[in-house]
Amino acid sequence: MTDLKVIGVVGETIDNQTWDWLYEKVGRKRCPIINTYFQSETGCPIIFAIPGVIPVKPGSVSLPFFGVQPVIIDENGSELEGEGSECLSIHCKNPLLRSQSL
């Protein structure tokens, strides 16, 4: 595994403990861990750090990809400002990623 340069994680985001284990044991403290937000409905990662461009943070998926606008909505479909724990909705102009609630 000496040729390993980056570790990408898709599906559910990973917690800090898992991130640390991957970084220390698998990546030998030299490979960035790219934690992504990916859904089957999107067909691609839509929130993630770009290796070497956006700093990685354990337990975080980082920033949305270009053109992707994540918003938090409540049970009535109203957008919430700031942190929230309701429903994540993606708004974007990319025809492959139509506005949808995920």
Side-chain angles (χ1 to χ4, degrees), residues 45-77:
I46 57 174
I47 304 174
F48 60 98
I50 299 171
V53 177
I54 299 172
V56 295
K57 177 181 170 188
S60 173
V61 293
S62 192
L63 300 172
F65 193 64
F66 306 108
V68 176
Q69 297 173 306
V71 295
I72 305 292
I73 58 173
D74 64 17
E75 63 276 353
N76 299 318

Side-chain angles (χ1 to χ4, degrees), residues 23 39 55 71 81 95:
Y23 183 72
Q39 293 285 314
V71 295
E81 301 246 352

